[in-house]
Amino acid sequence: MVRPGRLLAGLLAGCLLPVGMLGGLSGGAAAAGGGDPARFTVALLNEVDSFNPFLGIEVESYEMWALTYDYLVDFSTEDLSLQPSLATDWESSDDGLEWRFTIRDDVTWSDGEPLTADDLAFTYSRVLGKGPESATWKSWLAGVTEVEAPDDTTLVMSLSRPNSVLPMVPIPIVPQHVWSEVSGEAMKSFAAEPTDGAPVVGSGPFRLVEGTAGGSTYRFEANPDYWNGAPHVDEVVFRVFKSEDPAVQALVKGEVDFVEGISALQVDSLEGRDGVLAQNADTPGFDEISFNAGSVDLETGEPIGDPNPAVLDPEFRFAVGLALDRQQLVDTVYQGAGRPGSTIVPPGYATFHWEPPAEDLAHDPERAAALLDEAGYTVGADGLRTLPDGSPLGTLRLFARSDSATSTKVMAYFKEWLADLGIESEVTTVESSKLTDIILAGEFDAFEWGWFVDADPTSMLSYMTCDQRGNWSDSWYCDDEYDALFEAQGSELDPEVRAEQVKTMQETLFRDAPYLVTAYNTTGQAVRSDRFACLLQQPAETGQWIFQQGTHTYRSIRPAAEAGDCDGATSATEAAAAGDEEGPGAGLLVGAGGLVVLLVAGVAVLVVRRRGTAEDRE
Amino acid sequence: MTLAASAAGPEGALAAPPRARRSRGGYGRYAGGKVLGSLGSLAFVLVVNFFLFRVLPGDPARTLGRGRFSSPEQLEQFNAAYGLDEPLPQQFLTYLGNTLSGDLGISLRYRVPVADLLVDRIGPTLLLVGTSTLLAALVGMWLGVRSAWARGQRFDRLSTGASLTLYSMPEWWLGLLLIATLAVGFGPVPGLFPTGGLHSVDVDPWSPGGVLDVARHLTLPVLTLTLAYLADYALVMRSSLLDELGSDYLTTARAKGLRDQAVRNRHAVPNALLPATTVIALNFGFVVAGAITVETVFSIPGLGLLATEALEIPDYWVLQGAFLVASVGVILANLLANLLYGVLDPRVRT
């Protein structure tokens, strides 16, 4: 029998020695510049779920498609205004039933084929069809009956009714000569990933050369012939970290150049460091407390579930909203990294955002109590409020999501504020998927959740319509005037008139209060500014550096040593003075070697001691 | 994934009392019975597997579509495309047929065949958890033998105390501690190891350099798991050796004048190995289930993490595939433990 002692020493030495030797050979990533390729490495906190733009849903996947493909139009970094992209020019007929786009003629696919209007017609036609493509994107082409390309640079859309979302169609354009061979059945599991070194055929600023859905590394090479200017880095690499702390540690160590999705606490910890730039960036979304505004059986119109009569009353909901201390939520729950919320269209979308009067957003418990009294919810002998008919109001059932610390904390505050008004409630914490079931059954009074809002607010506005009850509507809100306005703005071709309609809709929602918008969230991002400069924010000053509408940062970013003035981009980040990077070198070897020696020596001592004691015993 | 454990308990692991009656058939019959039992467990798992995950709350089409501009028709289209609109009995039959022919379906989240996903994810898990289990077993058993032999002495107190301390530490915390010290570096000591991942970017893990690169990346996670698992083996080995210490045959061996070491290694340890065998075999059954927390902290794309994340959707086919693989692992390990027991301890063959 092998003596365990000796076996162990051999094992330890065998394991650790090569590691020690290796330690000297490879340190962190080489600093960009010099003869090495400039590689921008980004830590993501979630995998790409599909590189096929007709299948994926994760925000990370959208980012990959944007690097690989082009779109009909683009959005500026400054204020997300519309910019030409594949379409240089567009016009619609007076009745809005025909749109003509002029398509660029200087774009080539990565395999050398020219990109023409046919590729756009092909992509949109697939979406209008029946397969998984349409399950994903069809709503964006609402009213479109046919898309044709009369010649290489002209695209014509025919519509049965006007569609005000046009030309803002966020569908990536895929090459017809590759995708026409994918049948509807095959599309269900078509990966669109690189195989054996052949990159994915796309027209975007970068080319995917390595990566699989659900994998942990995605590598892109720059497209030197990009029609909108070649990128200034050679490679962009994404590495998936499954938790925040190691990702931040990797940034500090220099294994990655960029981290995203980190907490305000992490941003604080990074802010003082040399060579690191960190920020809490505005995200295009909001968090809200949603009430059950009237769950019904959609077939019969009969009420389902068991909402408290109070939450069905818009006056009650609006009054309760005045008891919210949004600033306190931002300061405590959001650790200061957020803004008090107001409506379902975030202020970043300045064209469409409606700002309620300050007094209606204020934390005003006295006014809340007065409004409740006025509406008949008076305080009974036991100090608790009653329903207008005099019966006890009972206990409101509030739900928080177990996968979100924010959700549970916000609901804890909400419970307190309700108690201050004389309303009892209990908070139950459940998983998101379970909450979805509860919402669909109508067995709740209120819950906490949030939404991301697209550059065009149509999708968010649609979730509050009667048609979406039982589908995406989670508040069961239904209001005929609101629905009429939704239809009208969807066909309104005058942008100013449409903006007014969208603002009116927000006001309606604010007064009826199916949602109490609690906060506009931010997300933490940080970059090694001693290595890379010229990152752009979208919108300017407050927005994110990556996960934008478009690929602005990836195209403008430069190695710090060659940044210069970033081609005059005013809002770009500047290079930090490169600090002394602790290059792992001789010290590391000595350290690792020392560790190994220590361990082996320790084991040896044990072995020797064991022999000794054994002999003593004999 | 402890669910798998209930599917097959360690039946043979408990030594049956010796019977006076001579057993007919001997080892072959015993082994045959055990194999049949395992097949039965497998059939049971196949059926349970389908219905177990259908009772999960949530609706894949809704989870995947939230925040997307879409109509009820588009939800229906999704369900039709992935066979979720069929009645449950029909879905069950489809599942049985497909599974038996080796088709595990398409993942709802990643839209790639589940078999491909599992193959990609099982390698890292086997490497990480397998290596750790092996190391922990070897080191733990060695510690256990030494501790028991030197019961109450300083070594015993130290090793038992240390392994219990490590055992009660949360794995993720231990992992973060190792990252903060050995990966990032502290004071004069530079970072020795990567903070996470399985291998460096554009390194082929199968090349000679790549193998070393993977070893470097796996050092900290393996160290974390090994330290966490140590106590398991050390304590089992220690207590079962202590049980043997008072036996007559040891007194006899000593009386024969054998050296202490020989008494320990040739007489006491082989008998004390029996309970440890069970623990090791069962733990190896759980190797495929992965180590979710450590996979998370070190961003190792393993099976445990895949299954955990599939629960949120719920991604039925991924869950079924992962559960099947994990169950087969446990059932096989159990069968092996039983067969091995039959060899090591003839008393169980009745």
Side-chain angles (χ1 to χ4, degrees):
Chain A
M1 187 168 171
V2 184
R3 291 211 196 97
R6 203 167 297 162
L7 183 73
L8 178 70
L11 260 177
L12 272 176
C15 276
L16 284 166
L17 274 173
V19 172
M21 290 188 304
L22 248 168
L25 300 177
S26 64
D36 299 314
R39 176 189 290 160
F40 181 55
T41 308
V42 178
L44 297 176
L45 293 181
N46 190 12
E47 290 102 350
V48 165
D49 59 347
S50 180
F51 285 100
N52 178 339
F54 296 125
L55 298 182
I57 59 145
E58 303 283 358
V59 60
E60 289 80 8
S61 305
Y62 279 72
E63 196 80 348
M64 306 299 140
W65 307 332
L67 290 166
T68 312
Y69 304 101
D70 280 303
Y71 302 78
L72 192 61
V73 291
D74 199 1
F75 299 89
S76 75
T77 48
E78 196 60 36
D79 56 0
L80 290 131
S81 55
L82 213 52
Q83 289 184 324
S85 184
L86 288 181
T88 53
D89 190 15
W90 50 86
E91 57 179 353
S92 73
S93 59
D94 288 345
D95 59 6
L97 298 182
E98 185 180 276
W99 282 74
R100 293 183 85 81
F101 300 90
T102 308
I103 307 298
R104 303 187 70 89
D105 61 358
D106 58 350
V107 184
T108 48
W109 294 106
S110 52
D111 60 359
E113 298 277 328
L115 182 150
T116 66
D118 278 328
D119 291 299
L120 286 97
F122 166 79
T123 303
Y124 296 144
S125 300
R126 287 290 298 239
V127 170
L128 293 174
K130 278 250 172 283
E133 310 90 308
S134 80
T136 305
W137 292 113
K138 196 169 186 170
S139 289
W140 290 100
L141 296 175
V144 177
T145 52
E146 202 174 13
V147 188
E148 290 167 296
D151 61 60
D152 280 357
T153 56
T154 312
L155 184 77
V156 179
M157 286 189 187
S158 315
L159 292 88
S160 57
R161 66 160 184 83
N163 178 345
S164 62
V165 175
L166 293 175
M168 294 201 247
V169 187
I171 304 175
I173 303 302
V174 299
Q176 178 173 9
H177 61 279
V178 176
W179 291 69
S180 57
E181 290 161 23
V182 183
S183 68
E185 183 57 28
M187 186 64 86
K188 286 198 316 196
S189 58
F190 183 64
E193 289 164 4
T195 45
D196 304 330
V200 172
V201 178
S203 62
F206 288 86
R207 287 164 187 173
L208 178 65
V209 288
E210 192 184 316
T212 56
S216 48
T217 309
Y218 322 116
R219 194 158 62 89
F220 287 84
E221 283 175 358
N223 172 3
D225 311 319
Y226 189 54
W227 59 268
N228 205 0
H232 307 282
V233 291
D234 303 311
E235 284 189 1
V236 174
V237 172
F238 296 93
R239 275 183 55 192
V240 180
F241 284 76
K242 294 310 295 188
S243 59
E244 202 186 311
D245 294 342
V248 172
Q249 301 278 28
L251 179 87
V252 170
K253 193 184 166 187
E255 283 179 35
V256 300
D257 306 310
F258 195 97
V259 290
E260 55 85 27
I262 59 175
S263 68
L265 283 175
Q266 294 282 20
V267 170
D268 277 350
S269 76
L270 287 171
E271 263 175 338
R273 277 185 181 272
D274 281 345
V276 174
L277 204 56
Q279 65 153 353
N280 292 307
D282 284 351
T283 55
F286 63 88
D287 291 344
E288 97 279 347
I289 293 169
S290 169
F291 290 105
N292 184 339
S295 44
V296 291
D297 184 315
L298 297 169
E299 303 288 321
T300 63
E302 292 297 309
I304 56 164
D306 45 3
N308 191 299
V311 300
L312 298 176
D313 177 1
E315 289 185 19
F316 175 89
R317 299 193 301 249
F318 182 80
V320 165
L322 290 166
L324 289 189
D325 187 346
R326 292 179 169 90
Q327 191 58 51
Q328 189 179 9
L329 289 182
V330 167
D331 293 343
T332 54
V333 179
Y334 293 84
Q335 292 150 353
R339 298 190 203 186
S342 56
T343 71
I344 67 169
V345 179
Y349 299 131
T351 321
F352 294 110
H353 175 73
W354 175 77
E355 188 62 21
E359 70 264 19
D360 291 344
L361 284 170
H363 171 55
D364 193 347
E366 290 81 18
R367 189 178 156 210
L371 284 180
L372 286 174
D373 289 340
E374 221 171 285
Y377 300 92
T378 50
V379 180
D382 54 359
L384 298 174
R385 291 195 181 266
T386 58
L387 292 170
D389 64 5
S391 59
L393 197 147
T395 307
L396 296 185
R397 287 153 315 150
L398 315 179
F399 287 91
R401 291 168 296 128
S402 59
D403 37 275
S404 155
T406 304
S407 187
T408 47
K409 288 178 192 160
V410 166
M411 273 324 207
Y413 274 104
F414 190 50
K415 183 181 165 134
E416 292 296 317
W417 291 324
L418 285 172
D420 292 345
L421 286 174
I423 300 164
E424 283 192 310
S425 61
E426 57 179 13
V427 181
T428 315
T429 304
V430 293
E431 298 212 339
S432 300
S433 48
K434 176 78 183 158
L435 182 54
T436 304
D437 289 358
I438 292 170
I439 292 167
L440 284 170
E443 291 165 355
F444 69 99
D445 294 317
F447 62 85
E448 197 278 349
W449 211 324
W451 290 98
F452 277 100
V453 183
D454 294 307
D456 187 290
T458 294
S459 48
M460 188 63 235
L461 296 168
S462 79
Y463 304 146
M464 310 303 291
T465 58
C466 300
D467 282 353
Q468 288 279 10
R469 287 175 303 168
N471 191 39
W472 292 127
S473 168
D474 48 9
S475 63
W476 293 93
Y477 177 73
C478 180
D479 179 78
D480 293 342
E481 271 177 56
Y482 178 90
D483 282 16
L485 270 173
F486 177 75
E487 290 302 321
Q489 68 82 34
S491 311
E492 179 56 56
L493 296 174
D494 182 337
E496 283 174 23
V497 175
R498 183 184 173 213
E500 280 313 309
Q501 289 166 330
V502 170
K503 287 177 181 175
T504 310
M505 292 167 76
Q506 289 168 74
E507 185 169 8
T508 306
L509 287 174
F510 185 77
R511 300 283 166 219
D512 285 351
Y515 278 4
L516 302 175
V517 177
T518 47
Y520 296 123
N521 211 337
T522 62
T523 182
Q525 300 189 329
V527 61
R528 286 293 297 254
S529 50
D530 54 349
R531 294 189 186 172
F532 289 98
C534 313
L535 289 79
L536 299 170
Q537 286 176 282
Q538 184 193 48
E541 311 292 323
T542 61
Q544 306 184 69
W545 282 316
I546 65 169
F547 290 107
Q548 305 170 330
Q549 306 270 359
T551 52
H552 305 283
T553 280
Y554 299 104
R555 285 188 285 117
S556 107
I557 192 172
R558 291 163 170 75
E562 318 156 10
D565 68 345
C566 302
D567 270 351
T570 43
S571 61
T573 61
E574 289 175 10
D580 292 341
E581 269 202 60
E582 290 181 22
L588 182 73
L589 249 181
V590 173
L595 191 75
V596 174
V597 169
L598 266 178
L599 270 163
V600 173
V603 172
V605 165
L606 279 177
V607 173
V608 170
R609 273 201 44 222
R610 198 204 46 171
R611 290 239 176 85
T613 49
E615 277 158 21
D616 290 347
R617 271 199 219 115
E618 280 173 43
Chain B
M1 298 228 87
T2 45
L3 287 165
S6 56
E11 313 132 59
L14 302 167
R19 289 198 197 170
R21 197 161 48 80
R22 257 238 209 95
S23 75
R24 288 161 300 165
Y27 187 68
R29 187 189 168 93
Y30 164 83
K34 291 295 168 203
V35 171
L36 277 179
S38 299
L39 287 176
S41 307
L42 201 56
F44 176 73
V45 163
L46 260 183
V47 176
V48 165
N49 195 359
F50 179 81
F51 293 100
L52 185 65
F53 298 113
R54 300 290 157 157
V55 299
L56 284 174
D59 167 5
R62 278 175 198 288
T63 318
L64 293 171
R66 186 176 160 89
R68 189 164 238 173
F69 188 21
S70 62
S71 60
E73 294 73 48
Q74 285 168 285
L75 274 187
E76 279 163 32
Q77 262 176 323
F78 175 89
N79 284 332
Y82 294 93
L84 291 165
D85 56 346
E86 294 172 357
L88 210 57
Q90 197 181 335
Q91 284 191 42
F92 176 64
L93 289 177
T94 313
Y95 149 82
L96 266 190
N98 285 350
T99 308
L100 292 175
S101 66
D103 173 9
L104 296 175
I106 296 174
S107 158
L108 294 172
R109 180 172 172 204
Y110 297 116
R111 318 289 179 97
V112 293
V114 171
D116 296 357
L117 269 182
L118 294 181
V119 167
D120 281 350
R121 298 295 190 104
I122 202 163
T125 289
L126 285 179
L127 207 58
L128 166 67
V129 191
T131 314
S132 313
T133 308
L134 198 69
L135 276 177
L138 288 172
V139 179
M141 281 164 55
W142 179 79
L143 282 177
V145 169
R146 289 280 321 238
S147 303
W149 212 249
R151 186 170 28 145
Q153 293 175 20
R154 196 186 325 157
F155 181 89
D156 178 29
R157 287 205 306 274
L158 259 174
S159 87
T160 308
S163 53
L164 273 177
T165 308
L166 290 168
Y167 188 66
S168 46
M169 266 187 201
E171 288 159 15
W172 59 265
W173 189 74
L174 191 61
L176 280 179
L177 217 60
L178 288 175
I179 289 179
T181 52
L182 293 178
V184 177
F186 56 98
V189 183
L192 302 176
F193 300 103
T195 48
L198 194 59
H199 57 80
S200 305
V201 177
D202 61 9
V203 167
D204 171 18
W206 299 107
S207 63
V211 170
L212 283 175
D213 182 62
V214 171
R216 262 188 83 232
H217 278 82
L218 277 178
T219 306
L220 292 186
V222 164
L223 188 62
T224 308
L225 273 183
T226 305
L227 291 175
Y229 290 167
L230 264 186
D232 222 2
Y233 301 98
L235 295 178
V236 166
M237 198 65 213
R238 181 175 179 272
S239 65
S240 64
L241 192 59
L242 285 180
D243 288 345
E244 299 292 332
L245 280 185
S247 308
D248 293 344
Y249 69 87
L250 289 189
T251 318
T252 312
R254 283 207 183 85
K256 281 197 301 187
L258 290 180
R259 282 171 42 187
D260 190 55
Q261 214 175 314
V263 173
R264 189 183 72 199
N265 292 352
R266 286 206 210 116
H267 293 266
V269 170
N271 280 318
L273 272 176
L274 286 173
T277 310
T278 312
V279 174
I280 293 173
L282 283 181
N283 281 350
F284 264 103
F286 287 109
V287 161
V288 286
I292 295 159
T293 49
V294 173
E295 282 175 15
T296 306
V297 170
F298 289 99
S299 311
I300 293 181
L303 214 52
L305 210 50
L306 180 74
T308 321
E309 291 181 340
L311 281 170
E312 296 160 16
I313 307 285
D315 195 339
Y316 300 126
W317 285 277
V318 167
L319 289 167
Q320 283 163 200
F323 183 72
L324 198 65
V325 167
S327 311
V328 167
V330 172
I331 291 171
L332 274 181
N334 224 323
L335 181 64
L336 269 178
N338 280 326
L339 296 181
L340 207 59
Y341 242 82
V343 176
L344 291 176
D345 188 352
R347 289 172 301 182
V348 301
R349 302 185 220 162
T350 43

